[in-house]
Amino acid sequence: MEVKTTKYSESINSNRRGNSSQKMKRGLQIEGYLLEGISIAGHETCIIVPSLNLAFDIGKCPQRAISQQFLFISHGHMDHIGGLPMYVATRSLYRMRPPTIIVPKVIKESIEKLFEAHRAMDHSELNHTLIGLDAGEEFYLRKDLKVRAFKTYHVIPSQGYIVYSIKQKLKQEYVGLPGDEIKKLKLSGVEITNTSTAPEIAFTGDTMSDFIKDPKNIDVLRAKILIMESTYVEDKTTADNAREYGHTHLSEIINFADMFQNKAILLIHFSARYQLDVIQEAISAIPPPLAGRVFALTEGF
Amino acid sequence: MEVKTTKYSESINSNRRGNSSQKMKRGLQIEGYLLEGISIAGHETCIIVPSLNLAFDIGKCPQRAISQQFLFISHGHMDHIGGLPMYVATRSLYRMRPPTIIVPKVIKESIEKLFEAHRAMDHSELNHTLIGLDAGEEFYLRKDLKVRAFKTYHVIPSQGYIVYSIKQKLKQEYVGLPGDEIKKLKLSGVEITNTSTAPEIAFTGDTMSDFIKDPKNIDVLRAKILIMESTYVEDKTTADNAREYGHTHLSEIINFADMFQNKAILLIHFSARYQLDVIQEAISAIPPPLAGRVFALTEGF
């Protein structure tokens, strides 16, 4: 397993960002993916995967989310969608391609109204493509990349997303054939490849641990990387308390340890009450079989 | 004139804010007022006056705006109002008193729709008091503090705000009378005081320089402190260019120098294209009678 934590200062480039809040870039290199962003319960959640050109939730629209073409929204709580109009407006300011925003179908109309209210005020176009997706439905980012929504269990309608890589593999019977024969077969209309999909990254957004037991969510637990919430990590707040708020307690993740086939699990959305050392201690105390493959996104703590 | 620039690091308190963007606090101490905030054209404008418990525009809702009870919105461009729902939601998260938000009457309905869309999504109350004000109309923050909206000249409907202090002064004829006689007069219903108001702080928001020549705006130019936009400061963008975008060029401020009776002028909203030294050089080159009483808010540059 390949894990590297990177923290690097970025030179201040006020021409592009101007906000002192953005001088520090942080990220985790996990299983071949750079995962960036900020996630603090109640405050701001935005997870960025630059190599896939996408972000999960938008928080307050941190600067490095702006360059992502695709945005996936898990639910309508302010700390997850507050920066949505700003994201669209800022891409327009930079003359970037209008973004594609995928949201739970049930909040699509409200989001349209949000943009309508802004357009009425600022007389701008706020161009973007808005796509409503229900759990089980898929959206193709590219020919070789698709996203499927899955059911999560929060206090308001919510869903997570699984990113699948799609590969075309030559069928077994044609392996070893010379190139021009393969070409000839293909031109004659023969289907010479099989399509294989693999769950690369799953993102839960806010949810109770119930999503783990949902048999429809098997691919969430098979994704190479699972980015999941773990709002509470110590005993002062119990797993029952976590459930009351629609959230997950780290102890539940530990209890379900055997379910996770993921190569790495990135925990996000820790309660703002925690100091960094409390989170770090809780993570290092995780027992096998999860020990060593659970990481924490702690920017801002 | 009393001017002090303060820059101080604040210890990271992730329990209250959690966002790494907020670790550094900056402010200018001008004429007895601490003026804080961030203002970069197109990106984010939020000016905070902690001693008056208010902010002008909300930008992306910087952390230190959240504790202000009153918010005055100049116009509906995203970099000035994008963080508005987040401001209300975060005050609620902290169980703070619902804020009072004053907006141009013409955008009040759109802002109501904005909150309605959020409420439909997150099932929260987003409690606040929303007040529409037209130019010339006043709002009392306290018995001794009122704000009047004034006309500005931008590409969409816009207005600025003047904060007035209100003082009750004993009428000349009663000065020197013993305390109990004054009390007796007051109890008998005699009006023993005169009311004097003084413009303390004026805030323009985005505007062309035309607001300076508007005879109704005389108090803007008489306020102790004028916080005004100066989006452009050098020759590559001319005053005519500035007008095209509905903004002000520093050269226009210099041309109108004789009009400003303000003790101090704080320039904000510089173009994101400028490096800090360009702004600083332009400010230090300002000739009399403005020289020495013009300051720049440059957090983020």
Side-chain angles (χ1 to χ4, degrees):
Chain A
M1 190 170 41
E2 174 195 333
V3 176
K4 210 178 106 194
T5 305
T6 56
K7 288 194 180 186
Y8 51 100
S9 288
E10 202 193 13
S11 67
I12 305 164
N13 181 349
S14 55
N15 287 350
R16 284 299 302 258
R17 59 208 64 197
N19 189 331
S20 66
S21 66
Q22 309 303 347
K23 280 168 207 165
M24 191 69 85
K25 231 181 175 182
R26 292 189 178 89
L28 292 121
Q29 195 80 38
I30 299 179
E31 291 293 324
Y33 288 98
L34 173 65
L35 304 174
E36 293 184 87
I38 182 160
S39 181
I40 300 164
H43 290 247
E44 176 168 24
T45 287
C46 176
I47 307 297
I48 302 156
V49 192
S51 63
L52 301 182
N53 204 9
L54 65 81
F56 298 112
D57 290 337
I58 191 63
K60 290 178 166 192
C61 188
Q63 189 277 334
R64 47 207 199 276
I66 293 161
S67 54
Q68 312 308 316
Q69 170 72 29
F70 299 97
L71 174 63
F72 294 85
I73 296 290
S74 67
H75 67 298
H77 274 151
M78 197 69 76
D79 50 326
H80 294 254
I81 61 148
L84 183 55
M86 185 70 86
Y87 165 71
V88 175
T90 310
R91 283 187 65 92
S92 164
L93 176 76
Y94 288 152
R95 293 188 172 76
M96 297 168 102
R97 211 170 124 195
T100 297
I101 303 162
I102 290 87
V103 303
K105 215 173 258 173
V106 67
I107 64 168
K108 188 177 176 226
E109 199 183 320
S110 292
I111 289 184
E112 283 165 352
K113 285 181 182 167
L114 206 65
F115 281 107
E116 278 314 315
H118 276 292
R119 286 189 192 105
M121 280 190 283
D122 74 3
H123 306 180
S124 75
E125 293 183 345
L126 291 172
N127 282 330
H128 64 275
T129 302
L130 186 65
I131 290 166
L133 222 58
D134 271 336
E137 292 184 337
E138 296 184 343
F139 173 79
Y140 279 73
L141 281 80
R142 304 190 311 231
K143 217 170 60 180
D144 60 346
L145 211 59
K146 69 175 181 183
V147 173
R148 184 188 298 164
F150 68 93
K151 189 175 174 183
T152 57
Y153 297 78
H154 196 38
V155 291
I156 62 171
S158 66
Q159 65 194 26
Y161 298 95
I162 309 168
V163 184
Y164 291 86
S165 63
I166 305 165
K167 284 185 185 121
Q168 303 298 332
K169 273 188 184 163
L170 198 62
K171 283 183 179 172
Q172 194 54 41
E173 60 257 47
Y174 302 125
V175 172
L177 272 192
D180 54 349
E181 286 202 33
I182 287 178
K183 202 171 167 186
K184 217 181 286 174
L185 279 166
K186 194 178 176 185
L187 286 172
S188 74
V190 174
E191 189 57 77
I192 56 166
T193 56
N194 286 320
T195 302
S196 79
T197 62
E200 294 287 321
I201 298 179
F203 169 82
T204 64
D206 289 3
T207 181
M208 290 188 284
S209 62
D210 302 37
F211 82 93
I212 301 169
K213 295 175 289 182
D214 186 333
K216 284 188 184 154
N217 287 350
I218 181 70
D219 275 357
V220 177
L221 311 177
R222 285 180 56 238
K224 198 184 276 178
I225 304 171
L226 168 58
I227 304 168
M228 73 172 287
E229 77 128 291
S230 172
T231 306
Y232 303 104
V233 303
E234 44 68 83
D235 295 341
K236 266 174 249 164
T237 309
T238 64
D240 282 344
N241 296 148
R243 294 187 70 78
E244 277 168 48
Y245 305 124
H247 291 301
T248 298
H249 193 290
L250 180 59
S251 64
E252 301 175 281
I253 300 172
I254 294 170
N255 286 343
F256 286 119
D258 290 334
M259 308 275 287
F260 299 100
Q261 301 164 57
N262 316 92
K263 289 200 175 164
I265 298 174
L266 178 65
L267 301 183
I268 62 167
H269 203 265
F270 301 109
S271 167
R273 75 185 63 169
Y274 296 135
Q275 299 287 342
L276 183 58
D277 55 350
V278 174
I279 299 167
Q280 286 171 335
E281 271 169 41
I283 301 293
S284 32
I286 294 174
L290 290 178
R293 58 185 171 113
V294 179
F295 306 91
L297 187 75
T298 55
E299 174 171 345
F301 283 93
Chain B
M1 189 169 41
E2 175 195 332
V3 176
K4 209 177 108 196
T5 305
T6 55
K7 287 194 181 187
Y8 51 100
S9 288
E10 202 194 12
S11 68
I12 305 163
N13 181 348
S14 55
N15 287 350
R16 285 299 302 259
R17 59 208 64 200
N19 189 332
S20 66
S21 65
Q22 309 304 345
K23 281 167 207 166
M24 191 70 86
K25 232 181 173 182
R26 293 189 178 89
L28 291 121
Q29 194 81 37
I30 299 179
E31 291 293 326
Y33 289 98
L34 173 65
L35 303 174
E36 293 185 85
I38 183 160
S39 181
I40 300 164
H43 290 247
E44 177 168 22
T45 286
C46 175
I47 306 297
I48 302 156
V49 192
S51 64
L52 301 183
N53 204 10
L54 65 80
F56 298 112
D57 290 338
I58 191 61
K60 290 177 166 192
C61 187
Q63 189 277 333
R64 48 208 199 275
I66 292 161
S67 55
Q68 312 308 317
Q69 171 70 29
F70 299 97
L71 174 62
F72 294 84
I73 295 290
S74 67
H75 68 297
H77 274 151
M78 196 69 75
D79 50 327
H80 295 253
I81 60 148
L84 184 55
M86 185 69 87
Y87 165 71
V88 175
T90 310
R91 282 187 65 91
S92 163
L93 177 76
Y94 288 152
R95 293 186 172 75
M96 297 169 101
R97 212 170 123 195
T100 297
I101 304 162
I102 290 89
V103 303
K105 215 173 258 173
V106 67
I107 64 168
K108 188 177 177 227
E109 199 184 319
S110 292
I111 289 184
E112 283 164 352
K113 286 182 181 166
L114 206 64
F115 282 107
E116 277 314 316
H118 277 292
R119 285 189 193 105
M121 279 190 284
D122 73 3
H123 307 181
S124 76
E125 293 183 346
L126 292 172
N127 283 329
H128 65 275
T129 303
L130 186 64
I131 290 166
L133 221 59
D134 271 336
E137 292 183 336
E138 296 183 344
F139 173 80
Y140 279 73
L141 281 79
R142 303 191 311 230
K143 217 170 61 177
D144 60 346
L145 211 60
K146 68 176 182 183
V147 172
R148 184 187 296 163
F150 68 92
K151 189 175 175 183
T152 57
Y153 298 79
H154 195 38
V155 291
I156 62 171
S158 66
Q159 64 194 27
Y161 297 96
I162 310 169
V163 183
Y164 291 87
S165 62
I166 305 165
K167 283 184 186 122
Q168 303 298 333
K169 274 189 186 164
L170 198 62
K171 283 183 179 170
Q172 194 55 40
E173 60 259 46
Y174 304 125
V175 172
L177 272 194
D180 53 351
E181 285 202 35
I182 287 176
K183 203 171 167 185
K184 217 181 285 174
L185 279 166
K186 197 179 174 184
L187 287 171
S188 74
V190 174
E191 188 58 76
I192 57 166
T193 56
N194 286 320
T195 302
S196 81
T197 62
E200 293 288 320
I201 298 180
F203 169 82
T204 65
D206 289 2
T207 181
M208 290 188 284
S209 62
D210 302 37
F211 81 94
I212 301 168
K213 294 176 287 181
D214 186 333
K216 284 188 184 152
N217 287 350
I218 182 68
D219 275 357
V220 179
L221 311 178
R222 284 180 56 238
K224 200 184 274 179
I225 304 171
L226 168 58
I227 304 168
M228 73 172 288
E229 77 127 290
S230 172
T231 307
Y232 303 104
V233 302
E234 43 68 85
D235 295 341
K236 265 174 247 164
T237 309
T238 65
D240 282 345
N241 296 146
R243 295 188 69 79
E244 278 169 47
Y245 304 124
H247 290 302
T248 298
H249 194 289
L250 180 59
S251 64
E252 300 174 280
I253 299 172
I254 293 170
N255 287 343
F256 285 120
D258 290 335
M259 308 276 287
F260 299 100
Q261 300 164 58
N262 317 92
K263 288 200 175 164
I265 298 174
L266 178 64
L267 301 183
I268 62 167
H269 202 264
F270 301 109
S271 168
R273 75 184 63 168
Y274 297 134
Q275 299 287 341
L276 183 58
D277 56 349
V278 173
I279 299 167
Q280 287 171 335
E281 271 169 40
I283 301 292
S284 32
I286 294 173
L290 290 178
R293 58 186 172 113
V294 180
F295 306 90
L297 186 76
T298 55
E299 173 172 346
F301 282 93

